[in-house]
Amino acid sequence: MKKLVIGNWKLNPATAIEAVRLAKATDVEGAVLCPPDIFLMQVGETIKKASLGAQDLFWKDAAAVTGEASAVQLKQIGVLYVIVGHSSRREELKETDELVNLKVKAALAAKLKVILCVGEDLDIHKQGEVKTRAFVLEQLKRDLDGVSGGENLIVAYEPVWSISTSNTNLVDTPEEASIMIRYIKDESSKMGFDKVPVLYGGSVDSKRAKDFLSRGIIDGVLVGKASLNAEKFKQIISLV
Ligand code: PGA
């Protein structure tokens, strides 16, 4: 399988004009673009080679719920991938593993490809490898509880302390990330998710990407900040 490069635009850009411009500039084979929901349609209509991804979904269809988007709604505008359980949602919106689990199930039932984000925060990271592994394993178990048929499941290991920190020294190394990704693959396989692709995310830019993507164990990268810079993002894609 070709390695995946996912661009998570988060709450950017500010305008539809900029969103369309960025989509045009990064419309390359192998890229998955995840704009905010408000720009999904325009980005979807703009791209010809890249795939469309959403940053989240709600787990029910046609419900009396305000301000959400369902799997069915996302699918009908051409969304193929959906990020679930991103650390920013777990932190800012207090999204629990129980909610993440409902979202994973809803997305898989709708045949969307799920990018499930897991990863420890700095506090846990500082407590060492045993604690970190236990935390990530618990997240995986809770998020995937009762989930079957994982052929559309992708996991992204994103150590929270390494996200958006490329200008500080606090970044995960490809060596450390590879060890955790090996562990995630082994444990996922024990849970019945054989051969689940596992990506790395956390301050991947055009300089760091090569080190991560050259590791056989890492099946791709989830890119935040650098996905907003067309040149940098295309450099990353050119590596896969
Ligand atoms: P970053 O974001 O590349 O800006 O660190 C990654 C992510 O949050 O998915």
Side-chain angles (χ1 to χ4, degrees), residues 36-63:
D37 278 5
I38 194 158
F39 302 137
L40 272 172
M41 261 184 89
Q42 277 151 308
V43 169
E45 282 163 7
T46 303
I47 56 180
K48 304 269 181 301
K49 297 178 185 155
S51 302
L52 192 61
Q55 298 176 12
D56 184 46
L57 82 163
F58 193 70
W59 60 90
K60 289 181 191 162
D61 293 322

mmCIF file of all heavy atoms in Angstrom, residues 36-63:
data_model
loop_
_atom_site.group_PDB
_atom_site.id
_atom_site.type_symbol
_atom_site.label_atom_id
_atom_site.label_comp_id
_atom_site.label_asym_id
_atom_site.label_seq_id
_atom_site.Cartn_x
_atom_site.Cartn_y
_atom_site.Cartn_z
ATOM 1 N N PRO A 36 -12.037 22.392 7.088
ATOM 2 C CA PRO A 36 -13.181 22.496 8.000
ATOM 3 C C PRO A 36 -14.469 22.188 7.224
ATOM 4 O O PRO A 36 -14.529 22.415 6.005
ATOM 5 C CB PRO A 36 -13.171 23.965 8.429
ATOM 6 C CG PRO A 36 -11.874 24.524 7.991
ATOM 7 C CD PRO A 36 -11.327 23.657 6.914
ATOM 8 N N ASP A 37 -15.502 21.702 7.906
ATOM 9 C CA ASP A 37 -16.757 21.313 7.240
ATOM 10 C C ASP A 37 -17.296 22.403 6.317
ATOM 11 O O ASP A 37 -17.827 22.114 5.246
ATOM 12 C CB ASP A 37 -17.848 21.007 8.288
ATOM 13 C CG ASP A 37 -17.707 19.594 8.822
ATOM 14 O OD1 ASP A 37 -16.734 18.913 8.455
ATOM 15 O OD2 ASP A 37 -18.574 19.176 9.617
ATOM 16 N N ILE A 38 -17.152 23.649 6.757
ATOM 17 C CA ILE A 38 -17.755 24.747 6.002
ATOM 18 C C ILE A 38 -17.181 24.865 4.578
ATOM 19 O O ILE A 38 -17.850 25.389 3.688
ATOM 20 C CB ILE A 38 -17.641 26.069 6.790
ATOM 21 C CG1 ILE A 38 -18.563 27.108 6.182
ATOM 22 C CG2 ILE A 38 -16.208 26.566 6.901
ATOM 23 C CD1 ILE A 38 -18.947 28.213 7.119
ATOM 24 N N PHE A 39 -15.996 24.339 4.366
ATOM 25 C CA PHE A 39 -15.389 24.402 3.034
ATOM 26 C C PHE A 39 -15.362 23.046 2.314
ATOM 27 O O PHE A 39 -14.804 22.936 1.222
ATOM 28 C CB PHE A 39 -13.947 24.938 3.117
ATOM 29 C CG PHE A 39 -13.834 26.304 3.737
ATOM 30 C CD1 PHE A 39 -12.828 26.588 4.649
ATOM 31 C CD2 PHE A 39 -14.728 27.319 3.407
ATOM 32 C CE1 PHE A 39 -12.717 27.840 5.226
ATOM 33 C CE2 PHE A 39 -14.627 28.581 3.982
ATOM 34 C CZ PHE A 39 -13.624 28.848 4.896
ATOM 35 N N LEU A 40 -15.950 22.027 2.923
ATOM 36 C CA LEU A 40 -15.841 20.686 2.331
ATOM 37 C C LEU A 40 -16.354 20.637 0.894
ATOM 38 O O LEU A 40 -15.721 20.069 0.003
ATOM 39 C CB LEU A 40 -16.610 19.655 3.165
ATOM 40 C CG LEU A 40 -15.855 18.987 4.308
ATOM 41 C CD1 LEU A 40 -16.802 18.151 5.152
ATOM 42 C CD2 LEU A 40 -14.704 18.128 3.799
ATOM 43 N N MET A 41 -17.522 21.254 0.678
ATOM 44 C CA MET A 41 -18.106 21.167 -0.664
ATOM 45 C C MET A 41 -17.252 21.858 -1.708
ATOM 46 O O MET A 41 -16.977 21.308 -2.776
ATOM 47 C CB MET A 41 -19.514 21.745 -0.662
ATOM 48 C CG MET A 41 -20.518 20.629 -0.580
ATOM 49 S SD MET A 41 -22.175 21.182 -0.678
ATOM 50 C CE MET A 41 -22.430 21.132 -2.416
ATOM 51 N N GLN A 42 -16.816 23.073 -1.363
ATOM 52 C CA GLN A 42 -16.004 23.808 -2.346
ATOM 53 C C GLN A 42 -14.679 23.107 -2.625
ATOM 54 O O GLN A 42 -14.236 23.034 -3.766
ATOM 55 C CB GLN A 42 -15.754 25.233 -1.861
ATOM 56 C CG GLN A 42 -16.919 26.138 -2.190
ATOM 57 C CD GLN A 42 -17.044 27.260 -1.187
ATOM 58 O OE1 GLN A 42 -17.083 27.031 0.016
ATOM 59 N NE2 GLN A 42 -17.089 28.472 -1.688
ATOM 60 N N VAL A 43 -14.073 22.585 -1.571
ATOM 61 C CA VAL A 43 -12.803 21.871 -1.767
ATOM 62 C C VAL A 43 -13.064 20.603 -2.596
ATOM 63 O O VAL A 43 -12.337 20.297 -3.540
ATOM 64 C CB VAL A 43 -12.133 21.544 -0.409
ATOM 65 C CG1 VAL A 43 -10.965 20.583 -0.590
ATOM 66 C CG2 VAL A 43 -11.662 22.824 0.266
ATOM 67 N N GLY A 44 -14.155 19.904 -2.279
ATOM 68 C CA GLY A 44 -14.510 18.689 -3.024
ATOM 69 C C GLY A 44 -14.727 18.973 -4.499
ATOM 70 O O GLY A 44 -14.357 18.176 -5.360
ATOM 71 N N GLU A 45 -15.352 20.107 -4.789
ATOM 72 C CA GLU A 45 -15.597 20.459 -6.195
ATOM 73 C C GLU A 45 -14.314 20.899 -6.909
ATOM 74 O O GLU A 45 -14.217 20.832 -8.124
ATOM 75 C CB GLU A 45 -16.631 21.594 -6.265
ATOM 76 C CG GLU A 45 -18.054 21.091 -6.058
ATOM 77 C CD GLU A 45 -19.042 22.208 -5.713
ATOM 78 O OE1 GLU A 45 -18.655 23.389 -5.767
ATOM 79 O OE2 GLU A 45 -20.182 21.874 -5.374
ATOM 80 N N THR A 46 -13.339 21.319 -6.130
ATOM 81 C CA THR A 46 -12.089 21.833 -6.710
ATOM 82 C C THR A 46 -11.103 20.718 -7.044
ATOM 83 O O THR A 46 -10.422 20.766 -8.067
ATOM 84 C CB THR A 46 -11.420 22.808 -5.702
ATOM 85 O OG1 THR A 46 -12.348 23.838 -5.398
ATOM 86 C CG2 THR A 46 -10.139 23.408 -6.270
ATOM 87 N N ILE A 47 -11.038 19.709 -6.169
ATOM 88 C CA ILE A 47 -9.965 18.717 -6.346
ATOM 89 C C ILE A 47 -10.326 17.631 -7.365
ATOM 90 O O ILE A 47 -11.479 17.240 -7.498
ATOM 91 C CB ILE A 47 -9.548 18.075 -4.992
ATOM 92 C CG1 ILE A 47 -10.743 17.438 -4.269
ATOM 93 C CG2 ILE A 47 -8.862 19.091 -4.112
ATOM 94 C CD1 ILE A 47 -10.394 16.778 -2.935
ATOM 95 N N LYS A 48 -9.302 17.190 -8.094
ATOM 96 C CA LYS A 48 -9.494 16.136 -9.098
ATOM 97 C C LYS A 48 -8.656 14.903 -8.742
ATOM 98 O O LYS A 48 -9.011 13.790 -9.074
ATOM 99 C CB LYS A 48 -9.024 16.607 -10.484
ATOM 100 C CG LYS A 48 -9.687 17.895 -10.970
ATOM 101 C CD LYS A 48 -10.937 17.586 -11.782
ATOM 102 C CE LYS A 48 -11.636 18.820 -12.323
ATOM 103 N NZ LYS A 48 -12.077 19.792 -11.302
ATOM 104 N N LYS A 49 -7.520 15.143 -8.073
ATOM 105 C CA LYS A 49 -6.599 14.030 -7.796
ATOM 106 C C LYS A 49 -6.553 13.661 -6.315
ATOM 107 O O LYS A 49 -6.405 12.499 -5.969
ATOM 108 C CB LYS A 49 -5.196 14.411 -8.254
ATOM 109 C CG LYS A 49 -5.100 14.639 -9.751
ATOM 110 C CD LYS A 49 -3.706 15.064 -10.120
ATOM 111 C CE LYS A 49 -3.609 15.408 -11.579
ATOM 112 N NZ LYS A 49 -2.517 16.344 -11.840
ATOM 113 N N ALA A 50 -6.611 14.639 -5.457
ATOM 114 C CA ALA A 50 -6.562 14.377 -4.009
ATOM 115 C C ALA A 50 -7.898 13.799 -3.555
ATOM 116 O O ALA A 50 -8.890 13.852 -4.288
ATOM 117 C CB ALA A 50 -6.255 15.669 -3.263
ATOM 118 N N SER A 51 -7.927 13.246 -2.346
ATOM 119 C CA SER A 51 -9.189 12.754 -1.762
ATOM 120 C C SER A 51 -9.660 13.718 -0.681
ATOM 121 O O SER A 51 -8.861 14.446 -0.091
ATOM 122 C CB SER A 51 -8.982 11.380 -1.130
ATOM 123 O OG SER A 51 -8.512 10.473 -2.073
ATOM 124 N N LEU A 52 -10.963 13.655 -0.423
ATOM 125 C CA LEU A 52 -11.560 14.575 0.534
ATOM 126 C C LEU A 52 -11.753 13.878 1.885
ATOM 127 O O LEU A 52 -12.236 12.747 1.954
ATOM 128 C CB LEU A 52 -12.917 15.032 -0.013
ATOM 129 C CG LEU A 52 -13.610 16.201 0.670
ATOM 130 C CD1 LEU A 52 -12.762 17.470 0.608
ATOM 131 C CD2 LEU A 52 -14.985 16.455 0.029
ATOM 132 N N GLY A 53 -11.385 14.594 2.955
ATOM 133 C CA GLY A 53 -11.573 14.052 4.307
ATOM 134 C C GLY A 53 -12.235 15.088 5.196
ATOM 135 O O GLY A 53 -12.089 16.291 4.973
ATOM 136 N N ALA A 54 -12.981 14.601 6.194
ATOM 137 C CA ALA A 54 -13.581 15.515 7.172
ATOM 138 C C ALA A 54 -12.814 15.397 8.489
ATOM 139 O O ALA A 54 -12.101 14.422 8.714
ATOM 140 C CB ALA A 54 -15.054 15.152 7.376
ATOM 141 N N GLN A 55 -12.973 16.388 9.331
ATOM 142 C CA GLN A 55 -12.206 16.415 10.583
ATOM 143 C C GLN A 55 -12.951 15.767 11.746
ATOM 144 O O GLN A 55 -12.393 15.594 12.830
ATOM 145 C CB GLN A 55 -11.859 17.860 10.951
ATOM 146 C CG GLN A 55 -10.979 18.542 9.924
ATOM 147 C CD GLN A 55 -10.724 20.007 10.267
ATOM 148 O OE1 GLN A 55 -11.007 20.465 11.359
ATOM 149 N NE2 GLN A 55 -10.185 20.741 9.307
ATOM 150 N N ASP A 56 -14.220 15.440 11.502
ATOM 151 C CA ASP A 56 -15.042 14.883 12.579
ATOM 152 C C ASP A 56 -16.383 14.462 11.985
ATOM 153 O O ASP A 56 -16.670 14.774 10.824
ATOM 154 C CB ASP A 56 -15.259 15.953 13.664
ATOM 155 C CG ASP A 56 -16.022 15.427 14.868
ATOM 156 O OD1 ASP A 56 -15.684 14.322 15.344
ATOM 157 O OD2 ASP A 56 -16.963 16.102 15.334
ATOM 158 N N LEU A 57 -17.207 13.769 12.759
ATOM 159 C CA LEU A 57 -18.579 13.491 12.337
ATOM 160 C C LEU A 57 -19.422 13.280 13.578
ATOM 161 O O LEU A 57 -18.888 13.111 14.686
ATOM 162 C CB LEU A 57 -18.653 12.238 11.445
ATOM 163 C CG LEU A 57 -18.687 10.871 12.140
ATOM 164 C CD1 LEU A 57 -19.172 9.814 11.184
ATOM 165 C CD2 LEU A 57 -17.329 10.486 12.671
ATOM 166 N N PHE A 58 -20.739 13.308 13.393
ATOM 167 C CA PHE A 58 -21.634 12.935 14.486
ATOM 168 C C PHE A 58 -22.055 11.492 14.249
ATOM 169 O O PHE A 58 -22.044 11.013 13.119
ATOM 170 C CB PHE A 58 -22.850 13.877 14.526
ATOM 171 C CG PHE A 58 -23.635 13.746 15.802
ATOM 172 C CD1 PHE A 58 -23.096 14.199 17.000
ATOM 173 C CD2 PHE A 58 -24.892 13.168 15.815
ATOM 174 C CE1 PHE A 58 -23.800 14.073 18.185
ATOM 175 C CE2 PHE A 58 -25.601 13.035 17.005
ATOM 176 C CZ PHE A 58 -25.062 13.485 18.188
ATOM 177 N N TRP A 59 -22.445 10.802 15.319
ATOM 178 C CA TRP A 59 -22.671 9.362 15.174
ATOM 179 C C TRP A 59 -24.089 8.962 14.802
ATOM 180 O O TRP A 59 -24.355 7.791 14.596
ATOM 181 C CB TRP A 59 -22.225 8.619 16.441
ATOM 182 C CG TRP A 59 -22.942 9.023 17.680
ATOM 183 C CD1 TRP A 59 -24.086 8.472 18.153
ATOM 184 C CD2 TRP A 59 -22.568 10.044 18.591
ATOM 185 N NE1 TRP A 59 -24.448 9.094 19.319
ATOM 186 C CE2 TRP A 59 -23.525 10.064 19.621
ATOM 187 C CE3 TRP A 59 -21.500 10.956 18.664
ATOM 188 C CZ2 TRP A 59 -23.477 10.947 20.686
ATOM 189 C CZ3 TRP A 59 -21.448 11.834 19.718
ATOM 190 C CH2 TRP A 59 -22.418 11.829 20.711
ATOM 191 N N LYS A 60 -25.020 9.952 14.773
ATOM 192 C CA LYS A 60 -26.392 9.599 14.383
ATOM 193 C C LYS A 60 -26.737 10.300 13.079
ATOM 194 O O LYS A 60 -26.192 11.361 12.793
ATOM 195 C CB LYS A 60 -27.379 10.088 15.441
ATOM 196 C CG LYS A 60 -27.342 9.333 16.733
ATOM 197 C CD LYS A 60 -28.396 9.930 17.655
ATOM 198 C CE LYS A 60 -28.257 9.426 19.067
ATOM 199 N NZ LYS A 60 -28.956 10.291 20.023
ATOM 200 N N ASP A 61 -27.706 9.715 12.355
ATOM 201 C CA ASP A 61 -28.218 10.361 11.146
ATOM 202 C C ASP A 61 -29.567 10.984 11.463
ATOM 203 O O ASP A 61 -30.315 10.466 12.290
ATOM 204 C CB ASP A 61 -28.440 9.319 10.039
ATOM 205 C CG ASP A 61 -27.124 8.744 9.559
ATOM 206 O OD1 ASP A 61 -26.157 9.518 9.466
ATOM 207 O OD2 ASP A 61 -27.065 7.537 9.306
ATOM 208 N N ALA A 62 -29.884 12.044 10.771
ATOM 209 C CA ALA A 62 -31.219 12.647 10.835
ATOM 210 C C ALA A 62 -31.736 12.791 12.261
ATOM 211 O O ALA A 62 -32.904 12.526 12.547
ATOM 212 C CB ALA A 62 -32.202 11.813 9.999
ATOM 213 N N ALA A 63 -30.874 13.178 13.173
ATOM 214 C CA ALA A 63 -31.293 13.308 14.570
ATOM 215 C C ALA A 63 -31.596 14.777 14.886
ATOM 216 O O ALA A 63 -31.184 15.675 14.152
ATOM 217 C CB ALA A 63 -30.187 12.801 15.482
#
